[in-house]
Amino acid sequence: MNIRSVCGYCGTGCGIEFDTDRLIGTIDYPINEGMVCAKGVSELHTIETTDRLLRPHLRKEDGDFIPIDWDLSISSIAHHIRFSDPKRIGIYLSGQMLSEDYYVANKLGKGFIGTNNVDTNSRTCMASAVVAYQKVFGIDYVPVQMQDIDHCDLLILVGANTADAHVVFNNKIQRAKKSGLTTIVIDPRRTETAQQADLHLPIRPGTDIDFLSLVARRIIDDDRADVQYLEKHVNGYVQYLRKIKKIPKVKLLKRCGLTAAQFEAFMTLFYANENIISAWTMGLNQSSQGVDKNLSLINLHLLTGKINKRGNGPFSLTGQPNAMGGREVGGLSTTLAVHLGFDDESIKKVSEFWQTDKIADKAGLTAFEMIEAAERGELDLLIICHTDPVYHLPNRKRVEAALKKVPFIVEINAYDNSETKSFAHLRLPAAPWGEKEGTQTNMDRTITRQERLTRRAIDCKPDWEIFAMIGKKLGFQKAFDFEDAAAVFKEYQEMTRLSERGHLDLSDLDQGSLRGGAYVWGKQLFENDEYFTPDRRANLIYVQNERLSEAVSVTHPFILMTGRTRDQWHSGTKTAFVDKLRKHRPLSFIEINTNDAKELKISDGERVKVSTKRGKLILQAQVTDAIREKTLFVPITERRINYLTNDLLDPYSKQPDYNHNAAKVERL
Ligand SMILES: Nc1nc2c(c(=O)[nH]1)N[C@H]1C(S)=C(S)[C@@H](COP(=O)(O)OP(=O)(O)OC[C@H]3O[C@@H](n4cnc5c(=O)[nH]c(N)nc54)[C@H](O)[C@@H]3O)O[C@H]1N2
Ligand SMILES: Nc1nc2c(c(=O)[nH]1)N[C@H]1C(S)=C(S)[C@@H](COP(=O)(O)OP(=O)(O)OC[C@H]3O[C@@H](n4cnc5c(=O)[nH]c(N)nc54)[C@H](O)[C@@H]3O)O[C@H]1N2
Ligand code: SF4
Ligand SMILES: [Mo]
């Protein structure tokens, strides 16, 4: 049998296998059934690139890096940890780490160093969905699976461009369309996903709550709410009614930038279809009101009872391959481990399990809060693993200035060309996809195993092993004495028994079955529509658009959004050099509407100056009518993009508002 693994890019989690000299999609793998996208099959090239980081490196006074050995590297990290207050230590992880990596890093930080400042780049990605699910269901649980698409009549995609960001899932959607599925896309851009849809609503960025409130109000006015479901299973309907009845309908529709006819077209499809799934990604999550945007969409499912039934429900699409696994293990600073929080009982359970007395009793700093702490000179040590915060956090100038104040930064990366590189004092070489093994959980709770395809470069180590080495050097020999990734997973499996009512319990899972196989945790967790809240009822929470995002002005009249293109992965350390992947779209451009371009006398292909209050970039214009007037779009493969973005955060999830920046465009 071929070596079977799973793709390390997006949250779809396609099974792929090594066939003689190339990668192919695994035919009998339930998620992708042989389908695979260009990124997945290109993984093989990423191991071979010359841009790999192959040895530990220490920064000298003059800024140059010199190779050093592992022992000295780990000793110097242990030294810094020993002489620092745990509150002044941060660990920044990634939704691209495997569960084993996450588990050991989290155990080290929260369990043995005694800092809860262990957060992940999922903060910039999934945090709003996590908080919304917790508020509504009492638990971070995605109640839909990809195969539900085959039993669904209407799919509503809000702020999600699956054709570019979840290619194989999008292929599944297109296949279901042939069998009768209807799709609606709500997105300020006419993306490829929107072009494939039956209805596209080019909403003004930041106004989804207005639109979704109008839909909710209409459902109630038309007596289409499932009152029986609401009475039996949902809290808050009476209060909700009181508030939703008062919304100014005409004003809200105007704010969305949509016509009454467009709204009616939406309602017609909504009423004409029985089984409805809504799915969303960064168009909702990355917002100063990301949690509320999520709630306003989930509310539609509670109001209509279209939830916990095959082919129905609110489906947050995970971006990174293991962002879901990271949440389970405890990679967010706002959870401790296995979905437990920082209440006394949880700390007691986890302390007993890890045999430690070091766990601090309140949530740690989130990603951008670490930057703020660094700014105030309150961070002595930052360990960054599998992510590039200088590239990806908002308001880059501020991030750079803050990181310059951190006395010791460790970067663990498999590649040599991150933007964080020049801020690190010590850089450690990780073994990338293909050279390591471990597990990941995709966007519909399916756990699979990544297998090793080739021998490991001599000085590279899997991420978990690096954290375990630090733990052992600190004297916690027993706690970090794992023989291999399978041993780490075994301990994690045991720990999942501690999760609330055992909802995450994986203790019976046979690891061998994960080789090329799939396992779904938490099937039908809400049996009989009983949720995980104290009274087992879901919470219907009224929200309104507070307009907290950066406002456009006479000087900065455009809303700048940022996002993905199909064949590239974020900063492109793995994809930008693969020739085959570079053909789809350039790494850097700015989309501007045809009428706006005409007004500003900008022609297609011309270089323009784009500025916000925080910075400016010269970018090549792509003039198109596939974007709303007065909005702009820059792909995040433009590595300098976050010099432009604002650092407003959602008050609950602390997720950044990357998609709403007041900007100006000028001819050069
Ligand atoms: N090819 C590729 N695929 C990827 C990734 C990658 O780097 N490359 N990254 C992965 C990751 S980590 C993530 S998080 C996902 C992201 O997946 P997506 O969120 O689907 O992708 P984005 O391009 O970030 O944004 C989606 C859409 O939101 C729209 N949008 C912006 N503001 C608003 C708004 O206010 N309202 C609405 N309704 N829409 C809005 C944008 O126009 C954009 O088309 O992709 C994953 N898949
Ligand atoms: N303006 C704007 N900013 C954004 C977003 C946006 O939409 N707009 N999206 C946000 C979101 S959703 C996300 S998920 C983030 C993504 O932001 P990042 O996580 O910073 O993006 P990547 O380029 O995927 O970074 C992954 C890093 O891990 C390294 N790496 C690869 N394999 C391994 C390995 O096996 N081990 C280790 N240790 N390292 C490895 C890569 O070389 C790379 O440097 O960006 C966020 N920032
Ligand atoms: S759709 Fe996502 S998981 Fe599947 S091959 Fe493409 S990048 Fe990999
Ligand atoms: Mo993401």
Side-chain angles (χ1 to χ4, degrees), residues 310-321:
R310 205 160 74 161
N312 288 276
F315 194 6
S316 144
L317 307 180
T318 311
Q320 298 176 96

mmCIF file with all atom_site columns, all heavy atoms in Angstrom, residues 310-321:
data_model
loop_
_atom_site.group_PDB
_atom_site.id
_atom_site.type_symbol
_atom_site.label_atom_id
_atom_site.label_alt_id
_atom_site.label_comp_id
_atom_site.label_asym_id
_atom_site.label_entity_id
_atom_site.label_seq_id
_atom_site.pdbx_PDB_ins_code
_atom_site.Cartn_x
_atom_site.Cartn_y
_atom_site.Cartn_z
_atom_site.occupancy
_atom_site.B_iso_or_equiv
_atom_site.pdbx_formal_charge
_atom_site.auth_seq_id
_atom_site.auth_comp_id
_atom_site.auth_asym_id
_atom_site.auth_atom_id
_atom_site.pdbx_PDB_model_num
ATOM 1  N N   . ARG A 1 310 ? -29.878 16.405 9.731  1.00 0.00 ? 310 ARG A N   1
ATOM 2  C CA  . ARG A 1 310 ? -29.024 16.167 8.574  1.00 0.00 ? 310 ARG A CA  1
ATOM 3  C C   . ARG A 1 310 ? -29.251 17.256 7.526  1.00 0.00 ? 310 ARG A C   1
ATOM 4  O O   . ARG A 1 310 ? -30.392 17.598 7.223  1.00 0.00 ? 310 ARG A O   1
ATOM 5  C CB  . ARG A 1 310 ? -29.352 14.801 7.991  1.00 0.00 ? 310 ARG A CB  1
ATOM 6  C CG  . ARG A 1 310 ? -28.201 14.217 7.220  1.00 0.00 ? 310 ARG A CG  1
ATOM 7  C CD  . ARG A 1 310 ? -28.356 12.745 7.095  1.00 0.00 ? 310 ARG A CD  1
ATOM 8  N NE  . ARG A 1 310 ? -29.412 12.460 6.119  1.00 0.00 ? 310 ARG A NE  1
ATOM 9  C CZ  . ARG A 1 310 ? -29.558 11.296 5.515  1.00 0.00 ? 310 ARG A CZ  1
ATOM 10 N NH1 . ARG A 1 310 ? -28.743 10.298 5.790  1.00 0.00 ? 310 ARG A NH1 1
ATOM 11 N NH2 . ARG A 1 310 ? -30.530 11.105 4.654  1.00 0.00 ? 310 ARG A NH2 1
ATOM 12 N N   . GLY A 1 311 ? -28.160 17.827 6.995  1.00 0.00 ? 311 GLY A N   1
ATOM 13 C CA  . GLY A 1 311 ? -28.298 18.835 5.945  1.00 0.00 ? 311 GLY A CA  1
ATOM 14 C C   . GLY A 1 311 ? -28.681 20.214 6.447  1.00 0.00 ? 311 GLY A C   1
ATOM 15 O O   . GLY A 1 311 ? -29.106 21.054 5.659  1.00 0.00 ? 311 GLY A O   1
ATOM 16 N N   . ASN A 1 312 ? -28.518 20.463 7.741  1.00 0.00 ? 312 ASN A N   1
ATOM 17 C CA  . ASN A 1 312 ? -28.869 21.772 8.306  1.00 0.00 ? 312 ASN A CA  1
ATOM 18 C C   . ASN A 1 312 ? -27.815 22.213 9.314  1.00 0.00 ? 312 ASN A C   1
ATOM 19 O O   . ASN A 1 312 ? -27.183 21.387 9.958  1.00 0.00 ? 312 ASN A O   1
ATOM 20 C CB  . ASN A 1 312 ? -30.207 21.691 9.060  1.00 0.00 ? 312 ASN A CB  1
ATOM 21 C CG  . ASN A 1 312 ? -31.384 21.550 8.128  1.00 0.00 ? 312 ASN A CG  1
ATOM 22 O OD1 . ASN A 1 312 ? -31.900 22.526 7.603  1.00 0.00 ? 312 ASN A OD1 1
ATOM 23 N ND2 . ASN A 1 312 ? -31.801 20.307 7.905  1.00 0.00 ? 312 ASN A ND2 1
ATOM 24 N N   . GLY A 1 313 ? -27.704 23.529 9.493  1.00 0.00 ? 313 GLY A N   1
ATOM 25 C CA  . GLY A 1 313 ? -26.900 24.025 10.609 1.00 0.00 ? 313 GLY A CA  1
ATOM 26 C C   . GLY A 1 313 ? -25.893 25.083 10.240 1.00 0.00 ? 313 GLY A C   1
ATOM 27 O O   . GLY A 1 313 ? -25.623 25.342 9.062  1.00 0.00 ? 313 GLY A O   1
ATOM 28 N N   . PRO A 1 314 ? -25.317 25.728 11.266 1.00 0.00 ? 314 PRO A N   1
ATOM 29 C CA  . PRO A 1 314 ? -24.321 26.781 11.065 1.00 0.00 ? 314 PRO A CA  1
ATOM 30 C C   . PRO A 1 314 ? -22.913 26.190 11.044 1.00 0.00 ? 314 PRO A C   1
ATOM 31 O O   . PRO A 1 314 ? -22.476 25.608 12.020 1.00 0.00 ? 314 PRO A O   1
ATOM 32 C CB  . PRO A 1 314 ? -24.523 27.681 12.288 1.00 0.00 ? 314 PRO A CB  1
ATOM 33 C CG  . PRO A 1 314 ? -25.070 26.784 13.363 1.00 0.00 ? 314 PRO A CG  1
ATOM 34 C CD  . PRO A 1 314 ? -25.706 25.591 12.696 1.00 0.00 ? 314 PRO A CD  1
ATOM 35 N N   . PHE A 1 315 ? -22.190 26.352 9.955  1.00 0.00 ? 315 PHE A N   1
ATOM 36 C CA  . PHE A 1 315 ? -20.930 25.655 9.695  1.00 0.00 ? 315 PHE A CA  1
ATOM 37 C C   . PHE A 1 315 ? -19.776 26.653 9.571  1.00 0.00 ? 315 PHE A C   1
ATOM 38 O O   . PHE A 1 315 ? -19.605 27.273 8.535  1.00 0.00 ? 315 PHE A O   1
ATOM 39 C CB  . PHE A 1 315 ? -21.105 24.858 8.390  1.00 0.00 ? 315 PHE A CB  1
ATOM 40 C CG  . PHE A 1 315 ? -20.053 23.816 8.100  1.00 0.00 ? 315 PHE A CG  1
ATOM 41 C CD1 . PHE A 1 315 ? -19.050 23.502 9.010  1.00 0.00 ? 315 PHE A CD1 1
ATOM 42 C CD2 . PHE A 1 315 ? -20.075 23.128 6.885  1.00 0.00 ? 315 PHE A CD2 1
ATOM 43 C CE1 . PHE A 1 315 ? -18.106 22.539 8.736  1.00 0.00 ? 315 PHE A CE1 1
ATOM 44 C CE2 . PHE A 1 315 ? -19.130 22.158 6.587  1.00 0.00 ? 315 PHE A CE2 1
ATOM 45 C CZ  . PHE A 1 315 ? -18.144 21.860 7.512  1.00 0.00 ? 315 PHE A CZ  1
ATOM 46 N N   . SER A 1 316 ? -19.018 26.808 10.641 1.00 0.00 ? 316 SER A N   1
ATOM 47 C CA  . SER A 1 316 ? -17.823 27.651 10.574 1.00 0.00 ? 316 SER A CA  1
ATOM 48 C C   . SER A 1 316 ? -16.734 26.852 9.866  1.00 0.00 ? 316 SER A C   1
ATOM 49 O O   . SER A 1 316 ? -16.411 25.747 10.290 1.00 0.00 ? 316 SER A O   1
ATOM 50 C CB  . SER A 1 316 ? -17.388 28.008 12.000 1.00 0.00 ? 316 SER A CB  1
ATOM 51 O OG  . SER A 1 316 ? -15.987 28.065 12.089 1.00 0.00 ? 316 SER A OG  1
ATOM 52 N N   . LEU A 1 317 ? -16.207 27.400 8.784  1.00 0.00 ? 317 LEU A N   1
ATOM 53 C CA  . LEU A 1 317 ? -15.181 26.669 8.017  1.00 0.00 ? 317 LEU A CA  1
ATOM 54 C C   . LEU A 1 317 ? -13.796 27.018 8.560  1.00 0.00 ? 317 LEU A C   1
ATOM 55 O O   . LEU A 1 317 ? -13.358 28.164 8.472  1.00 0.00 ? 317 LEU A O   1
ATOM 56 C CB  . LEU A 1 317 ? -15.263 27.037 6.527  1.00 0.00 ? 317 LEU A CB  1
ATOM 57 C CG  . LEU A 1 317 ? -16.633 26.892 5.860  1.00 0.00 ? 317 LEU A CG  1
ATOM 58 C CD1 . LEU A 1 317 ? -16.549 27.293 4.387  1.00 0.00 ? 317 LEU A CD1 1
ATOM 59 C CD2 . LEU A 1 317 ? -17.170 25.466 5.997  1.00 0.00 ? 317 LEU A CD2 1
ATOM 60 N N   . THR A 1 318 ? -13.137 26.019 9.116  1.00 0.00 ? 318 THR A N   1
ATOM 61 C CA  . THR A 1 318 ? -11.797 26.244 9.664  1.00 0.00 ? 318 THR A CA  1
ATOM 62 C C   . THR A 1 318 ? -10.809 26.545 8.544  1.00 0.00 ? 318 THR A C   1
ATOM 63 O O   . THR A 1 318 ? -10.839 25.888 7.506  1.00 0.00 ? 318 THR A O   1
ATOM 64 C CB  . THR A 1 318 ? -11.309 24.974 10.392 1.00 0.00 ? 318 THR A CB  1
ATOM 65 O OG1 . THR A 1 318 ? -12.332 24.531 11.259 1.00 0.00 ? 318 THR A OG1 1
ATOM 66 C CG2 . THR A 1 318 ? -10.047 25.247 11.170 1.00 0.00 ? 318 THR A CG2 1
ATOM 67 N N   . GLY A 1 319 ? -9.914  27.501 8.781  1.00 0.00 ? 319 GLY A N   1
ATOM 68 C CA  . GLY A 1 319 ? -8.957  27.870 7.744  1.00 0.00 ? 319 GLY A CA  1
ATOM 69 C C   . GLY A 1 319 ? -7.764  26.945 7.670  1.00 0.00 ? 319 GLY A C   1
ATOM 70 O O   . GLY A 1 319 ? -7.474  26.338 6.641  1.00 0.00 ? 319 GLY A O   1
ATOM 71 N N   . GLN A 1 320 ? -7.056  26.833 8.798  1.00 0.00 ? 320 GLN A N   1
ATOM 72 C CA  . GLN A 1 320 ? -5.808  26.075 8.795  1.00 0.00 ? 320 GLN A CA  1
ATOM 73 C C   . GLN A 1 320 ? -6.080  24.581 9.027  1.00 0.00 ? 320 GLN A C   1
ATOM 74 O O   . GLN A 1 320 ? -7.105  24.208 9.578  1.00 0.00 ? 320 GLN A O   1
ATOM 75 C CB  . GLN A 1 320 ? -4.869  26.617 9.883  1.00 0.00 ? 320 GLN A CB  1
ATOM 76 C CG  . GLN A 1 320 ? -4.491  28.071 9.643  1.00 0.00 ? 320 GLN A CG  1
ATOM 77 C CD  . GLN A 1 320 ? -3.639  28.634 10.766 1.00 0.00 ? 320 GLN A CD  1
ATOM 78 O OE1 . GLN A 1 320 ? -2.437  28.644 10.674 1.00 0.00 ? 320 GLN A OE1 1
ATOM 79 N NE2 . GLN A 1 320 ? -4.283  29.100 11.820 1.00 0.00 ? 320 GLN A NE2 1
ATOM 80 N N   . PRO A 1 321 ? -5.091  23.746 8.662  1.00 0.00 ? 321 PRO A N   1
ATOM 81 C CA  . PRO A 1 321 ? -5.339  22.304 8.704  1.00 0.00 ? 321 PRO A CA  1
ATOM 82 C C   . PRO A 1 321 ? -5.684  21.774 10.090 1.00 0.00 ? 321 PRO A C   1
ATOM 83 O O   . PRO A 1 321 ? -6.461  20.840 10.221 1.00 0.00 ? 321 PRO A O   1
ATOM 84 C CB  . PRO A 1 321 ? -4.019  21.707 8.203  1.00 0.00 ? 321 PRO A CB  1
ATOM 85 C CG  . PRO A 1 321 ? -2.987  22.769 8.399  1.00 0.00 ? 321 PRO A CG  1
ATOM 86 C CD  . PRO A 1 321 ? -3.733  24.050 8.174  1.00 0.00 ? 321 PRO A CD  1
#
